[in-house]
Amino acid sequence: MTMYIGTRDKNITASASEAILRGICPDGGLYIPMEIPKMDKTPDELMKMNYQELAYEVLKQYLDFTEEELKACIAEAYDEKFDTKEIVPLVKKGDALYLELFHGRTLAFKDMALSILPHLMKTAAKRQGLKEEIVILTATSGDTGKAALEGFAHVPGIRIMVFFPEDGVSPVQKLQMTTQEGDNTCVVGIKGNFDDAQSAVKGIFTDKALEEELLARGYRFSSANSINIGRLVPQVVYYWWAYIQAVKQGEIAWGDKLDFTVPTGNFGDILAGWYAAQMGLPAGHFVCASNDNKVLYDFFRTGTYDKNRTFHVTVSPSMDILISSNLERLLCHMGGQDKTKAEMAALQKEGKYQAEITDKNISGEYATEAETFAAIKEVFDKTGYVMDTHTAVAYAAYKKYQKESDSKNPMVIVSTASPYKFTKDVMTALDNKYEKEDAFVLMKELERVSGVSIPTPIVGIETRKIRHQDVCEKDSIKDFVKRKLL
Ligand SMILES: *Cc1c(COP(=O)(O)O)cnc(C)c1O
């Protein structure tokens, strides 16, 4: 079990419990494992495990919990909330394997981590003897918000506030959040984009004066964003799971390389895959897939990260991000704290920096809007499988990577959302005639063409009561939080 260390200062250390409760380092850096642990089970042992057992073997390496505590967290997280016993199916369609991470309650891969995070946090608070009420502040590009609300609603001793870009999420995503039940929940639309929301939230976390003020009132902030290591480490599990399923399905033999393409926004999902590889998973190449907001693609090609560019609102909103926070962790693993600190200072000051990723097993590709639509249509025409818009970006990126590389490894497309969250764009990709149709009417149509039933959690969502109507300017998020709590 590893300790954690800051990405901007190696003298900042924390146990897993402390890191989970703090969310972010006091200097604004992120916590990373001091040493990435190795898997201590043999392939034969791993092949016999179900998802929950595997989760235990991975997570015990990263968390300072007792066996009993950790197993209780896992049992509460990965249960009937998921609509399949496997939790994460790996399905083959055409020449690719799809890792379906969207079988949880909110139909997006964020459920993988946010189903367990509240339990990790409660356990960490108990271990640390915390007395204060925990206030979770979350900036969301659409999916994290709902997954966090579901995870934290009704949890005693915790409150949750979610900030989402008013005009940057799909109609289903918006309703999922604004109809959220639970007295401890608060949902706010902001006039700005995800980066605005994320910067404001990060600013609140590092505001010492505000922290003191709140402590005096019995509150302590924490984060449910992927800057929290409690978000990151549960995601390592499903990369192991994918590999094991690929062996079981006869796609590879143990030891063969398996490639992954990951639709990327904040760089959390793909970083978890990279951690799995460092633990000893025989992964081959990681393709980091971006949409028109291709700051990561440009970075992997040129070594310059430059956020000074136009922000595009795309059909894959959960990837509409220009500051991919978790990249900071990879930078630190590559170059150490001093370099990372300088790079992040340059990002803050000039909006750009230069850095080298020495690990050549990770590279970038991107898909335009037209390519994303074409990918949905192509896969449907060839296989009858309907992908969501984010998964489609990954598919298009995979096709580009396949052309450029000579890799013969099987490819896993990390599938991050159900097409039901994005019916309008998905159906329009299949046929232009759907362009003017209502997003909710299209659910029925999607059910008809795909043969996959409308997932229970969103049946009838369009008629549910709206419970949250707050809207706030991007510059007044901090004031809003203060008003609510002080
Ligand atoms: C959050 C999200 C992503 C991006 O994941 P990161 O960990 O932020 O890179 C991709 N697709 C969907 C559907 C998401 O919700």
Side-chain angles (χ1 to χ4, degrees), residues 306-428:
D306 188 353
K307 78 164 179 88
N308 303 306
R309 58 177 75 208
T310 309
F311 179 91
H312 299 281
V313 174
T314 73
V315 295
S316 43
S318 300
M319 300 162 68
D320 290 346
I321 292 175
L322 293 179
I323 304 173
S324 294
S325 295
N326 280 289
L327 184 63
E328 178 172 348
R329 290 188 157 111
L330 186 64
L331 293 174
C332 188
H333 287 297
M334 299 284 127
Q337 277 79 1
D338 293 344
K339 272 193 188 160
T340 307
K341 184 174 178 176
E343 286 151 9
M344 291 303 115
L347 180 65
Q348 179 88 28
K349 201 153 162 257
E350 286 130 42
K352 63 179 179 179
Y353 60 86
Q354 281 183 325
E356 196 195 351
I357 301 298
T358 43
D359 185 339
K360 296 302 164 208
N361 290 321
I362 180 163
S363 64
E365 293 287 354
Y366 82 101
T368 62
E369 296 287 90
E371 287 165 340
T372 305
F373 277 95
I376 295 175
K377 173 103 172 105
E378 177 187 323
V379 170
F380 177 70
D381 287 347
K382 281 190 184 154
T383 70
Y385 188 63
V386 182
M387 299 182 289
D388 97 288
T389 45
H390 303 76
T391 308
V393 169
Y395 178 85
Y398 153 52
K399 287 292 154 184
K400 289 187 181 176
Y401 170 72
Q402 208 179 26
K403 275 211 190 104
E404 282 175 16
S405 77
D406 49 10
S407 173
K408 297 277 179 293
N409 304 335
M411 178 62 80
V412 173
I413 310 254
V414 175
S415 306
T416 47
S418 158
Y420 278 101
K421 285 193 103 157
F422 307 96
T423 44
K424 186 133 187 156
D425 293 316
V426 166
M427 292 307 288
T428 303

Side-chain angles (χ1 to χ4, degrees), residues 133-137 158-161 163 183-186 204-205 210-211 213-222 477-486:
E133 182 170 6
I134 298 174
V135 180
I136 305 288
L137 292 186
I158 303 187
R159 279 202 206 194
I160 170 155
M161 299 175 94
F163 300 91
D183 290 343
N184 64 336
T185 65
C186 171
I204 295 175
F205 283 134
L210 182 59
E211 184 183 339
E213 227 177 316
L214 281 160
L215 274 176
R217 302 283 183 111
Y219 294 115
R220 173 188 292 264
F221 285 131
S222 192
I477 294 180
K478 192 183 278 184
D479 293 333
F480 183 92
V481 171
K482 279 184 167 176
R483 259 205 323 279
K484 282 274 165 186
L485 297 176
L486 298 178

